[in-house]
Structure formats: structure tokens, C-alpha cells
Amino acid sequence: GDRIAYIDDTATLSYAGLADAVARFAGGLAALGLRREERVLLLMQDCIDWPIAFLGCLQAGVVPVAVNTLLTADDYAFMVAHSQARAALVSASLMPTLAQALKQQPHPVAHLLVSTRGASMPDSAVLNGLPAHELSTWIKAQPAAQAVDTAADDIAFWLYSSGSTGRPKGTVHTHGNLYWTAALYAQPVLGLTEQDVCFSAAKLFFAYGLGNGLSFPLSVGASTVLMAERP
């Protein structure tokens, strides 16, 4: 539990701290009324809050839709509508772009959870009047929840394709997908161990970056360095 799981631009987080935050995040989603297999948009820079939010969704059976942080408001408007996201998990620095997206069309987003690592909470005008919570403060106030009983072939998360042949495609991944990429690649091919410190040039919203910075190191108890900016 004392081993360092994550180091970002602002803080470090132990495995015990990660487990507690993930359980509280899952409990908080239930308190907001989110139900199993409902989608939430995950639009965050790489920081400690990213794995907490992603794993907290999985623990609650809620489906995070992890999206590229370099897209336009038009792209996010499409993804919110297409995924029917009920909530948005967003870095404060990206909130103005998301706000533009949410103004473009009717949308089902009812809650905002805002990560303020390295930034300040957006003002009420930017938040469009939606209920918003500062993430770290909100997590501490939530009850810890046990993991729901998901199966290997249950939907775990979505990632969007690049859209090179038209609109991006929402690609569905299962809980088993996340497990087996770590079991079949991270350990036997990369040879990762708990003594390793990992840094991924590919960001967490990319499928390979998600392995590099989340499932691969966590599967062996390694430490991971996250950086919000471009490497």
C-alpha cells in the first residue's frame, strides 16, 4: 500500500491512496444517480485524477468515454451526443472548450466533475450553470463503495477512433480487454516488474497510452510518471 503508484506535476499517490480514492469515486457516482453502463465523458490532461476517475468508473460499472484532449468543440459536441454521456469529467484548462461543445445542441450531461490540478476552478459562466464539483474535494466527501459484480465481457470503457474515414467511431472495450493486454503483453513481453518506473509519451486517452500508464504498471505494482503537457 505504501508503494508509489503515480507521480504527476503536482503530487504523488500511493497504491493505498489510489485504492481509497477509486472506491470513493465509485461511491460518489452512485450518489450522483449514475447507473451501471451509463456513459461519462473523460476529458482530462494526464494527472493523478485521470486513473482515479477511470478506475472509479469501472469499479461502479459506469462506462468512461476517454477522449483526446487536442480536439475541437465540434468534436466533443458530437462525442457527447453520440455517447449520450450523463456526466463529464474534465480538466479545468479544458472546460472552456467543453462549454462551447455543450452549447451547440441539447445534451444529457447533468453533472461536471472538474480536476483543478495546476489550475483554478472555472467561473460559473464557463460552467453553463451545470452542477459542478471540484474533484479532489468531492472525492474526500464520498463514501467508499465496493466494486460492482462485472464480468469479463461486460462493457468497461469507450475510446474513439481518429475519424479518418468520417466521423470518429466509438470503440467499445470490455473489462476482459483491459486485463488480458496486461497479462499477455506487459508482463511476458515488456517484462515489467514492481521495481520499474514507467513514463508514456502516448497519453492515457490513447489505447496504447492507457496500457503504458495504467493497466501495465498497475498489474505489477510499478510506479508511473504522468505529465499534463506534451512530452
Side-chain angles (χ1 to χ4, degrees):
D2 292 337
R3 182 177 293 277
I4 296 300
Y6 283 101
I7 306 162
D8 73 1
D9 298 312
T10 64
T12 61
L13 183 67
S14 69
Y15 271 86
L18 176 63
D20 179 69
V22 165
R24 291 181 184 278
F25 192 97
L29 292 179
L32 291 177
L34 289 167
R35 297 172 295 182
R36 284 184 62 165
E37 296 198 7
E38 289 185 327
R39 273 80 60 200
V40 298
L41 191 78
L42 201 171
L43 174 60
M44 281 188 194
Q45 307 285 3
D46 280 19
C47 68
I48 285 171
D49 289 338
W50 207 107
I52 291 173
F54 183 85
L55 294 171
C57 287
L58 267 58
Q59 184 146 322
V62 172
V63 179
V65 180
V67 297
N68 190 326
T69 58
L70 304 175
L71 302 180
T72 67
D74 288 343
D75 294 320
Y76 298 135
F78 166 74
M79 291 172 179
V80 166
H82 181 257
S83 67
Q84 292 292 291
R86 290 278 323 282
L89 320 172
V90 61
S91 290
S93 60
L94 296 168
M95 191 59 232
T97 305
L98 180 62
Q100 292 179 40
L102 297 181
K103 288 178 179 178
Q104 291 188 20
Q105 57 188 356
H107 57 84
V109 171
H111 301 281
L112 296 172
L113 299 172
V114 183
S115 171
T116 58
R117 293 185 183 274
S120 57
M121 189 71 176
D123 61 37
S124 57
V126 172
L127 295 172
N128 289 343
L130 284 171
H133 306 276
E134 194 283 315
L135 194 57
S136 60
T137 303
W138 177 81
I139 288 172
K140 292 174 184 176
Q142 304 309 312
Q146 296 294 317
V148 299
D149 188 16
T150 51
D153 59 355
D154 284 346
I155 296 170
F157 62 98
W158 291 19
L159 300 175
Y160 272 92
S161 67
S162 63
S164 57
T165 58
R167 281 291 197 181
K169 308 295 192 298
T171 307
V172 176
H173 297 259
T174 68
H175 287 268
N177 294 154
L178 201 65
Y179 174 85
W180 284 113
T181 52
L184 297 178
Y185 182 67
Q187 296 162 37
V189 178
L190 295 182
L192 290 180
T193 74
E194 65 180 14
Q195 301 303 319
D196 284 313
V197 177
C198 302
F199 174 77
S200 177
K203 295 299 187 180
L204 287 167
F205 59 74
F206 285 117
Y208 192 47
L210 182 61
N212 292 345
L214 191 140
S215 57
F216 298 170
L218 293 184
S219 73
V220 298
S223 300
T224 302
V225 176
L226 298 176
M227 186 174 79
E229 299 303 317
R230 295 188 182 190

PDB file of all heavy atoms in Angstrom, residues 1-29:
ATOM      1  N   GLY A   1       0.787  -1.216   0.000  1.00  0.00           N
ATOM      2  CA  GLY A   1       0.000   0.000   0.000  1.00  0.00           C
ATOM      3  C   GLY A   1       0.826   1.275   0.000  1.00  0.00           C
ATOM      4  O   GLY A   1       0.409   2.294  -0.536  1.00  0.00           O
ATOM      5  N   ASP A   2       2.013   1.239   0.585  1.00  0.00           N
ATOM      6  CA  ASP A   2       2.859   2.432   0.668  1.00  0.00           C
ATOM      7  C   ASP A   2       3.620   2.704  -0.619  1.00  0.00           C
ATOM      8  O   ASP A   2       4.159   3.793  -0.799  1.00  0.00           O
ATOM      9  CB  ASP A   2       3.859   2.289   1.818  1.00  0.00           C
ATOM     10  CG  ASP A   2       3.181   2.312   3.174  1.00  0.00           C
ATOM     11  OD1 ASP A   2       2.059   2.857   3.262  1.00  0.00           O
ATOM     12  OD2 ASP A   2       3.756   1.774   4.137  1.00  0.00           O
ATOM     13  N   ARG A   3       3.686   1.733  -1.512  1.00  0.00           N
ATOM     14  CA  ARG A   3       4.428   1.915  -2.764  1.00  0.00           C
ATOM     15  C   ARG A   3       3.767   3.019  -3.596  1.00  0.00           C
ATOM     16  O   ARG A   3       2.545   3.133  -3.645  1.00  0.00           O
ATOM     17  CB  ARG A   3       4.448   0.601  -3.545  1.00  0.00           C
ATOM     18  CG  ARG A   3       5.255   0.692  -4.844  1.00  0.00           C
ATOM     19  CD  ARG A   3       5.307  -0.645  -5.548  1.00  0.00           C
ATOM     20  NE  ARG A   3       6.084  -1.609  -4.778  1.00  0.00           N
ATOM     21  CZ  ARG A   3       7.414  -1.704  -4.809  1.00  0.00           C
ATOM     22  NH1 ARG A   3       8.108  -0.886  -5.591  1.00  0.00           N
ATOM     23  NH2 ARG A   3       8.045  -2.597  -4.088  1.00  0.00           N
ATOM     24  N   ILE A   4       4.590   3.814  -4.262  1.00  0.00           N
ATOM     25  CA  ILE A   4       4.068   4.911  -5.079  1.00  0.00           C
ATOM     26  C   ILE A   4       3.473   4.364  -6.371  1.00  0.00           C
ATOM     27  O   ILE A   4       4.147   3.666  -7.133  1.00  0.00           O
ATOM     28  CB  ILE A   4       5.173   5.940  -5.397  1.00  0.00           C
ATOM     29  CG1 ILE A   4       5.664   6.606  -4.117  1.00  0.00           C
ATOM     30  CG2 ILE A   4       4.644   6.994  -6.382  1.00  0.00           C
ATOM     31  CD1 ILE A   4       4.589   7.346  -3.348  1.00  0.00           C
ATOM     32  N   ALA A   5       2.210   4.680  -6.603  1.00  0.00           N
ATOM     33  CA  ALA A   5       1.541   4.295  -7.849  1.00  0.00           C
ATOM     34  C   ALA A   5       1.732   5.361  -8.920  1.00  0.00           C
ATOM     35  O   ALA A   5       2.040   5.047 -10.071  1.00  0.00           O
ATOM     36  CB  ALA A   5       0.059   4.056  -7.599  1.00  0.00           C
ATOM     37  N   TYR A   6       1.544   6.643  -8.533  1.00  0.00           N
ATOM     38  CA  TYR A   6       1.600   7.730  -9.507  1.00  0.00           C
ATOM     39  C   TYR A   6       2.360   8.939  -8.989  1.00  0.00           C
ATOM     40  O   TYR A   6       2.302   9.272  -7.799  1.00  0.00           O
ATOM     41  CB  TYR A   6       0.180   8.171  -9.911  1.00  0.00           C
ATOM     42  CG  TYR A   6      -0.461   7.208 -10.870  1.00  0.00           C
ATOM     43  CD1 TYR A   6      -1.404   6.282 -10.423  1.00  0.00           C
ATOM     44  CD2 TYR A   6      -0.107   7.200 -12.211  1.00  0.00           C
ATOM     45  CE1 TYR A   6      -1.982   5.373 -11.299  1.00  0.00           C
ATOM     46  CE2 TYR A   6      -0.679   6.289 -13.089  1.00  0.00           C
ATOM     47  CZ  TYR A   6      -1.600   5.391 -12.639  1.00  0.00           C
ATOM     48  OH  TYR A   6      -2.150   4.482 -13.504  1.00  0.00           O
ATOM     49  N   ILE A   7       3.059   9.579  -9.915  1.00  0.00           N
ATOM     50  CA  ILE A   7       3.730  10.858  -9.691  1.00  0.00           C
ATOM     51  C   ILE A   7       3.293  11.764 -10.834  1.00  0.00           C
ATOM     52  O   ILE A   7       3.452  11.410 -12.005  1.00  0.00           O
ATOM     53  CB  ILE A   7       5.273  10.712  -9.733  1.00  0.00           C
ATOM     54  CG1 ILE A   7       5.751   9.627  -8.759  1.00  0.00           C
ATOM     55  CG2 ILE A   7       5.960  12.046  -9.469  1.00  0.00           C
ATOM     56  CD1 ILE A   7       7.158   9.137  -9.046  1.00  0.00           C
ATOM     57  N   ASP A   8       2.697  12.914 -10.512  1.00  0.00           N
ATOM     58  CA  ASP A   8       2.355  13.847 -11.591  1.00  0.00           C
ATOM     59  C   ASP A   8       2.993  15.199 -11.336  1.00  0.00           C
ATOM     60  O   ASP A   8       3.904  15.334 -10.508  1.00  0.00           O
ATOM     61  CB  ASP A   8       0.839  13.923 -11.816  1.00  0.00           C
ATOM     62  CG  ASP A   8       0.086  14.682 -10.728  1.00  0.00           C
ATOM     63  OD1 ASP A   8       0.725  15.195  -9.780  1.00  0.00           O
ATOM     64  OD2 ASP A   8      -1.155  14.772 -10.830  1.00  0.00           O
ATOM     65  N   ASP A   9       2.540  16.225 -12.037  1.00  0.00           N
ATOM     66  CA  ASP A   9       3.149  17.555 -11.928  1.00  0.00           C
ATOM     67  C   ASP A   9       2.936  18.191 -10.563  1.00  0.00           C
ATOM     68  O   ASP A   9       3.602  19.170 -10.226  1.00  0.00           O
ATOM     69  CB  ASP A   9       2.543  18.484 -12.997  1.00  0.00           C
ATOM     70  CG  ASP A   9       2.826  18.000 -14.406  1.00  0.00           C
ATOM     71  OD1 ASP A   9       3.979  17.679 -14.697  1.00  0.00           O
ATOM     72  OD2 ASP A   9       1.878  17.939 -15.219  1.00  0.00           O
ATOM     73  N   THR A  10       1.999  17.645  -9.772  1.00  0.00           N
ATOM     74  CA  THR A  10       1.625  18.313  -8.520  1.00  0.00           C
ATOM     75  C   THR A  10       1.797  17.462  -7.275  1.00  0.00           C
ATOM     76  O   THR A  10       1.887  18.000  -6.180  1.00  0.00           O
ATOM     77  CB  THR A  10       0.143  18.752  -8.572  1.00  0.00           C
ATOM     78  OG1 THR A  10      -0.697  17.592  -8.672  1.00  0.00           O
ATOM     79  CG2 THR A  10      -0.111  19.661  -9.766  1.00  0.00           C
ATOM     80  N   ALA A  11       1.791  16.129  -7.403  1.00  0.00           N
ATOM     81  CA  ALA A  11       1.739  15.299  -6.197  1.00  0.00           C
ATOM     82  C   ALA A  11       2.164  13.870  -6.509  1.00  0.00           C
ATOM     83  O   ALA A  11       2.431  13.509  -7.656  1.00  0.00           O
ATOM     84  CB  ALA A  11       0.306  15.296  -5.633  1.00  0.00           C
ATOM     85  N   THR A  12       2.231  13.059  -5.448  1.00  0.00           N
ATOM     86  CA  THR A  12       2.413  11.618  -5.582  1.00  0.00           C
ATOM     87  C   THR A  12       1.216  10.927  -4.941  1.00  0.00           C
ATOM     88  O   THR A  12       0.542  11.489  -4.079  1.00  0.00           O
ATOM     89  CB  THR A  12       3.707  11.131  -4.900  1.00  0.00           C
ATOM     90  OG1 THR A  12       3.635  11.436  -3.498  1.00  0.00           O
ATOM     91  CG2 THR A  12       4.926  11.793  -5.505  1.00  0.00           C
ATOM     92  N   LEU A  13       0.968   9.685  -5.366  1.00  0.00           N
ATOM     93  CA  LEU A  13      -0.166   8.927  -4.849  1.00  0.00           C
ATOM     94  C   LEU A  13       0.259   7.483  -4.646  1.00  0.00           C
ATOM     95  O   LEU A  13       0.775   6.846  -5.572  1.00  0.00           O
ATOM     96  CB  LEU A  13      -1.341   8.994  -5.833  1.00  0.00           C
ATOM     97  CG  LEU A  13      -2.637   8.308  -5.407  1.00  0.00           C
ATOM     98  CD1 LEU A  13      -3.268   9.025  -4.212  1.00  0.00           C
ATOM     99  CD2 LEU A  13      -3.626   8.258  -6.576  1.00  0.00           C
ATOM    100  N   SER A  14       0.059   6.962  -3.445  1.00  0.00           N
ATOM    101  CA  SER A  14       0.406   5.582  -3.147  1.00  0.00           C
ATOM    102  C   SER A  14      -0.669   4.640  -3.661  1.00  0.00           C
ATOM    103  O   SER A  14      -1.785   5.058  -4.002  1.00  0.00           O
ATOM    104  CB  SER A  14       0.575   5.396  -1.635  1.00  0.00           C
ATOM    105  OG  SER A  14      -0.690   5.511  -0.990  1.00  0.00           O
ATOM    106  N   TYR A  15      -0.346   3.348  -3.671  1.00  0.00           N
ATOM    107  CA  TYR A  15      -1.347   2.356  -4.058  1.00  0.00           C
ATOM    108  C   TYR A  15      -2.529   2.360  -3.092  1.00  0.00           C
ATOM    109  O   TYR A  15      -3.687   2.223  -3.497  1.00  0.00           O
ATOM    110  CB  TYR A  15      -0.724   0.963  -4.150  1.00  0.00           C
ATOM    111  CG  TYR A  15      -0.164   0.669  -5.519  1.00  0.00           C
ATOM    112  CD1 TYR A  15       1.136   1.054  -5.866  1.00  0.00           C
ATOM    113  CD2 TYR A  15      -0.926   0.031  -6.484  1.00  0.00           C
ATOM    114  CE1 TYR A  15       1.651   0.796  -7.122  1.00  0.00           C
ATOM    115  CE2 TYR A  15      -0.422  -0.225  -7.753  1.00  0.00           C
ATOM    116  CZ  TYR A  15       0.863   0.160  -8.064  1.00  0.00           C
ATOM    117  OH  TYR A  15       1.365  -0.085  -9.326  1.00  0.00           O
ATOM    118  N   ALA A  16      -2.255   2.521  -1.797  1.00  0.00           N
ATOM    119  CA  ALA A  16      -3.344   2.591  -0.820  1.00  0.00           C
ATOM    120  C   ALA A  16      -4.209   3.825  -1.058  1.00  0.00           C
ATOM    121  O   ALA A  16      -5.437   3.766  -0.992  1.00  0.00           O
ATOM    122  CB  ALA A  16      -2.785   2.607   0.593  1.00  0.00           C
ATOM    123  N   GLY A  17      -3.557   4.956  -1.340  1.00  0.00           N
ATOM    124  CA  GLY A  17      -4.293   6.183  -1.630  1.00  0.00           C
ATOM    125  C   GLY A  17      -5.115   6.064  -2.894  1.00  0.00           C
ATOM    126  O   GLY A  17      -6.250   6.565  -2.976  1.00  0.00           O
ATOM    127  N   LEU A  18      -4.565   5.373  -3.903  1.00  0.00           N
ATOM    128  CA  LEU A  18      -5.289   5.156  -5.152  1.00  0.00           C
ATOM    129  C   LEU A  18      -6.528   4.295  -4.901  1.00  0.00           C
ATOM    130  O   LEU A  18      -7.621   4.616  -5.372  1.00  0.00           O
ATOM    131  CB  LEU A  18      -4.379   4.485  -6.180  1.00  0.00           C
ATOM    132  CG  LEU A  18      -5.006   4.094  -7.514  1.00  0.00           C
ATOM    133  CD1 LEU A  18      -5.508   5.315  -8.267  1.00  0.00           C
ATOM    134  CD2 LEU A  18      -4.015   3.308  -8.367  1.00  0.00           C
ATOM    135  N   ALA A  19      -6.355   3.206  -4.162  1.00  0.00           N
ATOM    136  CA  ALA A  19      -7.486   2.308  -3.892  1.00  0.00           C
ATOM    137  C   ALA A  19      -8.602   3.040  -3.147  1.00  0.00           C
ATOM    138  O   ALA A  19      -9.788   2.870  -3.455  1.00  0.00           O
ATOM    139  CB  ALA A  19      -7.008   1.103  -3.087  1.00  0.00           C
ATOM    140  N   ASP A  20      -8.237   3.877  -2.169  1.00  0.00           N
ATOM    141  CA  ASP A  20      -9.239   4.611  -1.404  1.00  0.00           C
ATOM    142  C   ASP A  20      -9.960   5.628  -2.285  1.00  0.00           C
ATOM    143  O   ASP A  20     -11.194   5.738  -2.248  1.00  0.00           O
ATOM    144  CB  ASP A  20      -8.569   5.322  -0.220  1.00  0.00           C
ATOM    145  CG  ASP A  20      -9.559   6.127   0.601  1.00  0.00           C
ATOM    146  OD1 ASP A  20     -10.417   5.518   1.268  1.00  0.00           O
ATOM    147  OD2 ASP A  20      -9.488   7.376   0.560  1.00  0.00           O
ATOM    148  N   ALA A  21      -9.190   6.373  -3.097  1.00  0.00           N
ATOM    149  CA  ALA A  21      -9.802   7.393  -3.958  1.00  0.00           C
ATOM    150  C   ALA A  21     -10.718   6.764  -5.001  1.00  0.00           C
ATOM    151  O   ALA A  21     -11.789   7.300  -5.308  1.00  0.00           O
ATOM    152  CB  ALA A  21      -8.716   8.230  -4.636  1.00  0.00           C
ATOM    153  N   VAL A  22     -10.304   5.622  -5.564  1.00  0.00           N
ATOM    154  CA  VAL A  22     -11.123   4.930  -6.564  1.00  0.00           C
ATOM    155  C   VAL A  22     -12.442   4.475  -5.941  1.00  0.00           C
ATOM    156  O   VAL A  22     -13.519   4.638  -6.535  1.00  0.00           O
ATOM    157  CB  VAL A  22     -10.342   3.731  -7.146  1.00  0.00           C
ATOM    158  CG1 VAL A  22     -11.266   2.787  -7.908  1.00  0.00           C
ATOM    159  CG2 VAL A  22      -9.228   4.224  -8.054  1.00  0.00           C
ATOM    160  N   ALA A  23     -12.379   3.900  -4.734  1.00  0.00           N
ATOM    161  CA  ALA A  23     -13.602   3.441  -4.058  1.00  0.00           C
ATOM    162  C   ALA A  23     -14.526   4.603  -3.747  1.00  0.00           C
ATOM    163  O   ALA A  23     -15.755   4.494  -3.885  1.00  0.00           O
ATOM    164  CB  ALA A  23     -13.235   2.686  -2.785  1.00  0.00           C
ATOM    165  N   ARG A  24     -13.970   5.736  -3.330  1.00  0.00           N
ATOM    166  CA  ARG A  24     -14.785   6.910  -3.036  1.00  0.00           C
ATOM    167  C   ARG A  24     -15.360   7.512  -4.322  1.00  0.00           C
ATOM    168  O   ARG A  24     -16.503   7.994  -4.336  1.00  0.00           O
ATOM    169  CB  ARG A  24     -13.967   7.947  -2.271  1.00  0.00           C
ATOM    170  CG  ARG A  24     -13.617   7.493  -0.861  1.00  0.00           C
ATOM    171  CD  ARG A  24     -12.813   8.551  -0.107  1.00  0.00           C
ATOM    172  NE  ARG A  24     -12.419   8.067   1.199  1.00  0.00           N
ATOM    173  CZ  ARG A  24     -13.225   8.082   2.269  1.00  0.00           C
ATOM    174  NH1 ARG A  24     -14.447   8.574   2.169  1.00  0.00           N
ATOM    175  NH2 ARG A  24     -12.814   7.599   3.418  1.00  0.00           N
ATOM    176  N   PHE A  25     -14.588   7.502  -5.392  1.00  0.00           N
ATOM    177  CA  PHE A  25     -15.102   7.997  -6.667  1.00  0.00           C
ATOM    178  C   PHE A  25     -16.299   7.161  -7.113  1.00  0.00           C
ATOM    179  O   PHE A  25     -17.325   7.694  -7.544  1.00  0.00           O
ATOM    180  CB  PHE A  25     -14.003   7.952  -7.731  1.00  0.00           C
ATOM    181  CG  PHE A  25     -14.336   8.700  -8.986  1.00  0.00           C
ATOM    182  CD1 PHE A  25     -13.891   9.996  -9.182  1.00  0.00           C
ATOM    183  CD2 PHE A  25     -15.105   8.116  -9.980  1.00  0.00           C
ATOM    184  CE1 PHE A  25     -14.211  10.696 -10.339  1.00  0.00           C
ATOM    185  CE2 PHE A  25     -15.433   8.799 -11.138  1.00  0.00           C
ATOM    186  CZ  PHE A  25     -14.979  10.092 -11.316  1.00  0.00           C
ATOM    187  N   ALA A  26     -16.172   5.838  -6.985  1.00  0.00           N
ATOM    188  CA  ALA A  26     -17.280   4.952  -7.350  1.00  0.00           C
ATOM    189  C   ALA A  26     -18.510   5.242  -6.492  1.00  0.00           C
ATOM    190  O   ALA A  26     -19.640   5.301  -7.007  1.00  0.00           O
ATOM    191  CB  ALA A  26     -16.852   3.497  -7.191  1.00  0.00           C
ATOM    192  N   GLY A  27     -18.293   5.450  -5.195  1.00  0.00           N
ATOM    193  CA  GLY A  27     -19.413   5.785  -4.323  1.00  0.00           C
ATOM    194  C   GLY A  27     -20.048   7.108  -4.684  1.00  0.00           C
ATOM    195  O   GLY A  27     -21.272   7.267  -4.615  1.00  0.00           O
ATOM    196  N   GLY A  28     -19.223   8.066  -5.092  1.00  0.00           N
ATOM    197  CA  GLY A  28     -19.737   9.370  -5.494  1.00  0.00           C
ATOM    198  C   GLY A  28     -20.584   9.319  -6.747  1.00  0.00           C
ATOM    199  O   GLY A  28     -21.587  10.027  -6.869  1.00  0.00           O
ATOM    200  N   LEU A  29     -20.192   8.474  -7.703  1.00  0.00           N
ATOM    201  CA  LEU A  29     -21.002   8.329  -8.919  1.00  0.00           C
ATOM    202  C   LEU A  29     -22.391   7.801  -8.593  1.00  0.00           C
ATOM    203  O   LEU A  29     -23.393   8.259  -9.147  1.00  0.00           O
ATOM    204  CB  LEU A  29     -20.303   7.387  -9.908  1.00  0.00           C
ATOM    205  CG  LEU A  29     -19.007   7.888 -10.540  1.00  0.00           C
ATOM    206  CD1 LEU A  29     -18.438   6.822 -11.470  1.00  0.00           C
ATOM    207  CD2 LEU A  29     -19.208   9.192 -11.301  1.00  0.00           C
TER     208      LEU A  29
END
